[in-house]
């Protein structure tokens, strides 16, 4: 006989959901190597070791936890060792990939430079950085070939003119994007400069915010052109007029790209200028305390917003951090596409500003020094960097505009560039970046030259963003033609190439580019591909139809 029992069968106990590392919910233990490093020592403290130990002992004296972690809080990354091809990016250990030189990022909040600062930036480039000085799409200047031995002198020079590298990288509040025409544009809704400067003064370098789950990107602009790409920042304050309270800012949270792109979401709040620093502090504090720290891939604020929704986020912000309600407000009207301010434009005081386009943000210390001479000779003392890798000269008298434009053109800074040059951006790429798989800057420059020759008559702005890896530092998903670097097969051989994204956009109709199934293009075949798809658009477009709109309705064969 078979034994039986009447004992009830117990249901399996549900597994407890693994915590996401949110401090506010009690998960304060380090959950990965990055969190352990930040717990072991506040990364801001590494500057003292750089000045007192590493600058004297050289590269080999640097503790590896500092080298590959905490150095970032002072704008320093090791750069890629020359000669390592993209196929080895994901297979080599860090010590095999990295050179003994550094990339150094100079923090330029709001893109604001005066002549003394510009000359200092230029001088550091020529003296310490082998004449490198790239303009980033976050308004920074980025050097290469920097030695740790030179960092004390570099910091002394930068800080003597009011610049810094503090928190230019790392899990902390990065540079604050600001409108490069703040305070001078005739069509500006409100000048956000005070808020940019006040946040920088109060909170950058504050240990209270130097250990965030990941980086935190801020944009503040009262210009209607959305010139700081607010839709893809962690937090953005965008100029808008409240029907009862007047000019102020619409509040967006949770934008970001990389491998999981998301657009920022409105909280439905209107923020007056004088409250921006307080509200910013509250939002960063929510991120610090509730942000996900267990997995680095989910540690940006966009994932918290996606899970909570804007309503819950606003509720937590108001009730737990601000201890008050925010004012409800209207949505800021969006332009067709974000503005870049290239060309000659009149200021509200009757003077002019002139925007120029270097090739894919690549300049040199020599060019910046020449720029300083040109600017000074034409009576200006204000220069601005932009979120599109461009430069602006402000406060030019009407009778000096033509002379200035000609002088800028002579040093390779065009105020009337071709549509190709104006609308192409590129990240650092394999030349210096340890994460990159392909060349970007040089490839993008060659593409510009080729397309200017092949389709010089292009009458519609078509943005081309070139990135060396999937991380989207050059915003590939929001470009008309986004190119993500990877290795592709060409007659059985692995060669440099790109995954193509088509039809991305920011502004009035934001969206991420259409990724064609399994479609790749070799780097060598890139000009032919771009020519073909652009000619297809020019031939088939309807009246007033943008490239992104055409891509959305085009058959896939027409896009290959």
């Amino acid at each position: 006989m078979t034994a039986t029992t009447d004992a009830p069968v117990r249901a399996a106990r549900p597994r407890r959901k693994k915590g996401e590392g949110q401090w506010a919910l009690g998960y304060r233990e380090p959950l990965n190597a990055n969190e352990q490093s930040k717990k072991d020592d506040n990364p801001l403290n590494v500057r003292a070791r750089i000045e007192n130990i590493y600058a004297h002992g050289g590269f080999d004296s640097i503790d590896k936890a500092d080298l590959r972690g905490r150095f970032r809080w002072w704008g320093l990354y090791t750069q890629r060792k020359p000669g390592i091809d993209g196929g080895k990016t994901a297979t080599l250990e860090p010590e095999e990939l990295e050179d003994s030189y550094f990339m150094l990022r100079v923090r330029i909040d709001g893109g604001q430079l005066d002549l003394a600062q510009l000359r200092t930036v230029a001088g550091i480039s020529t003296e310490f950085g082998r004449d490198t000085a790239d303009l980033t799409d976050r308004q920074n200047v980025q050097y290469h070939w920097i030695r740790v031995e030179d960092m004390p002198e570099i910091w002394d020079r930068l800080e003597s003119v009011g610049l810094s590298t503090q928190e230019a990288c790392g899990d902390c509040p990065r540079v604050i994007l600001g409108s490069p025409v703040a305070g001078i544009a005739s069509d500006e809704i409100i000048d956000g400069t005070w808020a940019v400067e006040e946040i920088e003064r109060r909170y950058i370098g504050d240990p209270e915010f130097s250990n965030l789950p990941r980086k935190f990107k801020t944009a503040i602009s009262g210009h209607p052109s959305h010139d700081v790409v607010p839709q893809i920042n962690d937090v953005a304050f965008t100029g808008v007029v409240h029907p009862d309270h007047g000019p102020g800012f619409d509040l967006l949270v949770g934008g970001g790209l990389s491998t999981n792109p998301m657009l920022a979401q409105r909280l439905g709040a209107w923020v007056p200028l004088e409250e921006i620093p307080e509200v910013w502090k509250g939002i960063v504090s929510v991120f610090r305390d509730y942000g996900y720290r267990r997995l680095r891939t989910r540690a940006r604020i966009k994932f918290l917003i996606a899970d909570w929704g804007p309503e819950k986020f606003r509720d937590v912000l108001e009730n737990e951090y601000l201890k008050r309600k925010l004012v409800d407000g209207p949505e800021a009207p969006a332009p067709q596409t974000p503005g870049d301010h290239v060309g000659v434009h009149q200021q509200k005081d009757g003077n002019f500003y002139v925007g120029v386009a270097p090739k894919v943000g690549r300049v040199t210390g020599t060019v910046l020094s020449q720029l300083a001479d040109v600017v000074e000779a034409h009576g200006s003392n204000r220069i601005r960097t932009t979120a599109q890798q461009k430069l602006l000269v402000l406060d030019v008298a009407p009778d000096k505009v033509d002379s200035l434009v000609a002088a800028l053109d002579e040093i390779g800074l065009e105020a009337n560039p071709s549509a190709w040059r104006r609308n192409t951006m590129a990240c650092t790429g394999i030349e210096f970046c340890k994460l990159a798989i392909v060349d970007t800057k040089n490839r993008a420059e060659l593409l510009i030259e080729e397309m200017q020759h092949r389709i010089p008559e292009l009458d519609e702005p078509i943005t081309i963003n070139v990135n060396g890896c999937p991380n989207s530092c050059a915003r590939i998903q929001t470009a008309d033609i986004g190119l993500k670097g990877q290795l592709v097969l060409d007659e059985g051989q692995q060669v440099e190439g790109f995954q193509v994204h088509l039809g991305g956009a920011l502004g009035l109709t934001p969206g991420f580019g259409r990724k064609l199934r399994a479609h790749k293009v070799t780097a060598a075949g890139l000009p032919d591909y771009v020519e073909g798809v652009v000619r297809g658009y020019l031939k088939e477009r309807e009246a007033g139809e943008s490239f992104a709109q055409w891509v959305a309705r085009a058959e896939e064969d027409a896009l290959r």
Side-chain angles (χ1 to χ4, degrees):
M1 294 179 63
T2 302
T4 61
T5 177
D6 293 331
V9 177
R10 290 186 177 181
R13 181 178 296 176
R15 296 181 65 181
R16 184 184 178 190
K17 185 179 179 181
K18 191 175 292 185
E20 291 280 7
Q22 295 163 285
W23 285 0
L25 300 183
Y27 297 100
R28 294 193 66 95
E29 284 304 307
L31 298 160
N32 57 56
N34 291 280
E35 290 301 309
Q36 181 66 56
S37 176
K38 291 182 287 184
K39 182 181 180 183
D40 289 343
D41 184 43
N42 188 313
L44 293 173
N45 295 336
V46 78
R47 174 161 173 172
R49 293 192 288 279
I50 293 173
E51 292 178 318
N52 299 322
I53 301 173
Y54 305 143
H56 303 283
F59 185 84
D60 292 338
S61 70
I62 304 172
D63 178 87
K64 296 303 181 284
D66 286 341
L67 179 69
R68 301 188 188 114
R70 303 181 191 103
F71 266 44
R72 290 176 291 163
W73 273 251
W74 286 94
L76 289 157
Y77 283 101
T78 50
Q79 67 186 39
R80 189 186 191 93
K81 189 178 296 182
I84 299 177
D85 66 64
K88 297 178 180 177
T89 295
T91 62
L92 295 180
E93 295 298 319
E95 60 270 18
E96 297 176 287
L97 272 173
E98 65 195 8
D99 206 347
S100 58
Y101 295 93
F102 292 88
M103 178 212 82
L104 176 65
R105 190 174 291 158
V106 180
R107 182 185 185 114
I108 306 174
D109 290 284
Q112 302 180 60
L113 289 170
D114 60 28
L115 274 175
Q117 291 170 331
L118 181 61
R119 291 193 187 281
T120 298
V121 168
I124 291 171
S125 167
T126 54
E127 189 168 345
F128 301 108
R130 300 189 187 181
D131 212 23
T132 58
D134 289 342
L135 304 176
T136 75
D137 59 9
R138 292 204 62 80
Q139 296 182 290
N140 296 310
V141 170
Q142 196 161 282
Y143 301 124
H144 300 284
W145 301 109
I146 298 297
R147 302 187 316 146
V148 71
E149 292 91 335
D150 296 322
M151 283 310 304
E153 176 65 19
I154 290 172
W155 279 325
D156 283 348
R157 294 191 189 186
L158 289 172
E159 289 165 5
S160 72
V161 292
L163 293 176
S164 174
T165 70
Q166 185 171 224
E167 296 187 329
C169 312
D171 299 347
C172 53
R174 301 288 185 88
V175 66
I176 304 163
L177 294 185
S179 173
V181 295
I184 66 166
S186 58
D187 56 346
E188 183 178 50
I189 298 168
I190 186 171
D191 182 358
T193 303
W194 176 84
V196 173
E197 295 174 345
E198 195 67 7
I199 291 172
E200 194 277 333
R201 184 187 70 82
R202 293 187 198 179
Y203 304 122
I204 303 308
D206 184 344
E208 188 177 352
F209 304 109
S210 63
N211 181 358
L212 302 179
R214 284 291 295 271
K215 58 189 172 185
F216 189 82
K217 297 181 177 181
T218 303
I220 302 172
S221 176
H223 196 271
S225 71
H226 287 202
D227 48 8
V228 294
V229 290
Q231 293 157 318
I232 52 172
N233 277 267
D234 293 291
V235 64
F237 297 87
T238 307
V240 67
V241 178
H242 192 286
D244 299 321
H245 303 291
F249 295 85
D250 191 12
L251 177 57
L252 295 86
V253 181
L257 297 178
S258 192
T259 54
N260 288 284
M262 300 183 195
L263 294 172
Q265 299 190 51
R266 295 187 62 243
L267 295 194
W270 176 87
V271 182
L273 177 65
E274 62 272 15
E275 293 182 9
I276 286 181
E278 177 199 11
V279 174
W280 181 92
K281 178 185 179 183
I283 291 168
V284 179
S285 299
V286 175
F287 177 47
R288 178 196 61 206
D289 299 342
Y290 285 98
Y292 305 146
R293 294 175 181 262
R294 184 172 66 87
L295 299 175
R296 294 283 288 177
T297 53
R298 276 179 51 81
R300 294 291 295 276
I301 197 173
K302 63 186 179 182
F303 294 101
L304 185 65
I305 289 287
D307 289 347
W308 279 10
E311 295 82 7
K312 178 178 178 180
F313 189 95
R314 178 173 171 177
D315 181 69
V316 171
L317 172 65
E318 291 176 332
N319 294 318
E320 295 187 28
Y321 292 88
L322 298 179
K323 308 298 184 182
R324 63 178 179 84
K325 297 296 183 182
L326 294 167
V327 176
D328 291 340
E331 182 175 4
Q336 188 64 46
T337 58
D340 64 6
H341 304 299
V342 170
V344 177
H345 307 269
Q346 189 168 22
Q347 301 177 181
K348 62 184 180 182
D349 64 0
N351 288 319
F352 288 79
Y353 69 87
V354 179
V356 296
K359 286 185 180 178
V360 294
R362 175 141 286 179
V363 290
T364 63
T366 299
V367 167
L368 293 179
S369 181
Q370 293 170 334
L371 171 64
D373 290 341
V374 169
V375 170
E376 185 174 28
H378 289 81
S380 174
N381 185 46
R382 293 200 292 173
I383 304 92
R384 296 290 182 264
T385 57
T386 81
Q388 289 80 24
Q389 299 180 336
K390 308 296 190 291
L391 280 168
L392 274 61
V393 180
L394 310 187
D395 308 326
V396 183
D399 61 344
K400 295 185 177 181
V401 169
D402 291 343
S403 173
L404 174 71
V405 169
L408 291 171
D409 190 65
E410 287 184 7
I411 60 174
L413 300 174
E414 297 182 7
N416 187 29
S418 71
W420 298 106
R421 176 166 176 166
R422 178 172 181 171
N423 295 298
T424 301
M425 294 200 312
C427 73
T428 299
I430 201 170
E431 185 177 6
F432 297 114
C433 180
K434 294 177 296 182
L435 301 177
I437 301 168
V438 304
D439 174 66
T440 54
K441 292 285 191 185
N442 297 317
R443 185 68 60 187
E445 286 192 42
L446 291 172
L447 180 63
I448 290 170
E449 293 175 6
E450 190 69 24
M451 299 316 299
Q452 287 175 159
H453 173 72
R454 295 190 186 196
I455 312 181
E457 72 280 8
L458 183 67
D459 60 351
E460 176 74 18
I462 295 178
T463 55
I464 301 177
N465 294 12
V466 186
N467 217 77
C469 76
N471 288 324
S472 201
C473 295
R475 310 199 290 252
I476 50 174
Q477 296 99 330
T478 60
D480 287 312
I481 302 175
L483 301 168
K484 180 178 72 178
Q486 58 184 232
L487 297 180
V488 302
L489 287 177
D490 183 31
E491 297 183 355
Q493 300 294 317
Q494 277 196 331
V495 298
E496 288 193 1
F498 299 92
Q499 167 75 64
V500 179
H501 297 248
L502 294 177
L506 293 173
L508 187 61
T509 55
F512 301 126
R514 178 178 174 183
K515 186 165 63 175
L516 306 185
R517 292 192 303 273
H519 182 59
K520 313 290 191 297
V521 58
T522 66
L526 188 57
D528 288 343
Y529 173 76
V530 172
E531 179 183 11
V533 74
V534 171
R535 287 198 183 281
Y537 160 66
L538 295 176
K539 179 181 178 181
E540 298 175 9
R541 64 181 172 177
E542 298 174 353
E545 187 174 38
S546 69
F547 183 84
Q549 291 168 332
W550 171 74
V551 166
R553 69 172 177 83
E555 296 293 333
E556 192 160 306
D557 286 347
L559 305 178
R560 290 184 176 277

